[in-house]
Amino acid sequence: QVQLVESGGGLVQAGGSLRLSCAPSGRTRSSYAMGWFRQAPGKEREFVAAINWSGGVTYYANFVKGRFTISRDNAKSTVYLQMNSLKPEDTAVYYCAAGPLATSTLTAYNYWGQGTQVTVSS
């Protein structure tokens, strides 16, 4: 069982930046692919970005391309989501997830964090 803990969320003005982090709460192997998803009030959870276990392959949702960057530091067992040029429509709870394959498919991930709130004011 892998328990993931997200951090770095908060309130930011439009155009600002935040960096989210996600790390396991205990010892775990680093060979999981990792993904970031988000869920706004009243909406379904949606894919944001994913990265394979080595960090060499990344995928992004179209609406974040050029603004968000996913990366990982396997020595620290941590995955990051750098979010720049934030917009009010980016407001959501952001979740990290771990699984065997880097994919945009939500159900492919086995482990999920509790989420961190990101609020972008206009």
Side-chain angles (χ1 to χ4, degrees):
Q1 187 74 14
V2 177
Q3 293 182 322
L4 302 172
V5 180
E6 301 97 337
S7 62
L11 174 64
V12 64
Q13 289 186 334
S17 299
L18 284 174
R19 188 177 79 157
L20 306 183
S21 300
C22 172
S25 60
R27 292 185 62 186
T28 184
R29 56 188 174 96
S30 63
S31 58
Y32 288 110
M34 300 294 294
W36 285 98
F37 291 77
R38 70 185 187 185
Q39 188 166 18
K43 295 187 177 181
E44 294 187 348
R45 194 170 298 188
E46 63 180 354
F47 169 73
V48 176
I51 189 168
N52 73 335
W53 71 271
S54 70
V57 178
T58 57
Y59 301 102
Y60 295 94
N62 287 335
F63 56 78
V64 302
K65 284 183 179 177
R67 301 190 297 127
F68 293 8
T69 302
I70 189 171
S71 62
R72 67 189 300 162
D73 182 344
N74 286 341
K76 297 180 180 180
S77 297
T78 300
V79 63
Y80 304 97
L81 184 68
Q82 178 67 45
M83 305 186 294
N84 299 327
S85 302
L86 283 162
K87 306 174 182 179
E89 51 264 43
D90 294 318
T91 295
V93 177
Y94 284 71
Y95 299 89
C96 69
L101 185 66
T103 174
S104 61
T105 303
L106 186 150
T107 55
Y109 292 88
N110 305 113
Y111 307 105
W112 292 83
Q114 294 298 308
T116 185
Q117 176 70 47
V118 171
T119 303
V120 184
S121 63
S122 57

